[in-house]
Amino acid sequence: DLHTGGKEMLSHTVYLKGDAECRALAEAFGHDLLLAEAAGEDADAEWADRNFGGKLRVAATQEGIPTITPELAHNTELVEDAIDAGVAGMLDTLRHLDMLPGEPAPTNATVARNHLGRVKADDSGLFHVDGDVELGDYVEPGDHVGAVHDPTSYEVLQEVTVDREGIVYSLEREATVTAGSTLVGVALPLAE
């Protein structure tokens, strides 16, 4: 793969955890990874700090309009496979809503939680991915991803390892990172 920097993200669909119709919409859209996002009192402190309650998807769902957020992974470029997946997902969602004839394609999606399995940079510096971890991999605590280096001495400031079991759905590929930024996102599988 040719990596041009920035955050790589596995295509996925986010829905409000615990909402059956949002879950059905997410399944109809058809990505292999569905991320159940907790809201309100069920969410972590950062959810409130970042005012995620104001997200259109959350606000619409709370007003009785089931809503999902498909994330097609390529947000800075036009990638035909991602465009095709988005169109197919939209058509299947419309079929699920009986706005088009037919049935959505069946899915064997993995359902997981997002935001909980993030590995963050302890310090600002240069992040170099040198492990075997790739998007979509199932990982376990201790799996090596890379290291954050001091930009002047190249001293290792942080060995970056996964801290939870789950599926890698985001991976920072930009060399320059700031303290507190997410380096690896691990989706935590939910028991069905």
Side-chain angles (χ1 to χ4, degrees), residues 28-159:
F29 195 88
H31 281 321
D32 291 336
L33 180 62
L34 308 182
L35 295 183
E37 183 177 76
E41 294 179 3
D42 293 334
D44 61 8
E46 185 181 2
W47 194 88
D49 292 345
R50 295 178 65 184
N51 195 27
F52 281 177
K55 287 183 177 182
L56 176 61
R57 175 178 45 78
V58 175
T61 299
Q62 290 174 340
E63 290 299 316
I65 305 167
T67 310
I68 58 174
T69 304
E71 299 197 26
L72 300 176
H74 299 275
N75 63 352
T76 60
E77 57 186 329
L78 296 175
V79 176
E80 292 207 19
D81 288 348
I83 294 168
D84 290 344
V87 171
M90 190 64 193
L91 293 174
D92 274 342
T93 301
L94 293 172
R95 290 182 185 102
H96 167 77
L97 295 170
D98 294 326
M99 298 173 77
L100 286 178
E103 295 293 322
T107 180
N108 292 317
T110 298
V111 180
R113 283 280 309 274
N114 61 349
H115 296 314
L116 299 179
R118 289 177 291 189
V119 180
K120 296 184 177 184
D122 293 336
D123 296 287
S124 297
L126 301 175
F127 178 50
H128 177 63
V129 176
D130 61 7
D132 293 330
V133 173
E134 296 289 341
L135 287 179
D137 284 355
Y138 195 86
V139 293
E140 296 181 353
D143 285 355
H144 177 75
V145 178
V148 177
H149 300 268
D150 182 291
T152 57
S153 67
Y154 217 62
E155 170 194 358
V156 173
L157 301 174
Q158 177 185 358
E159 289 288 351

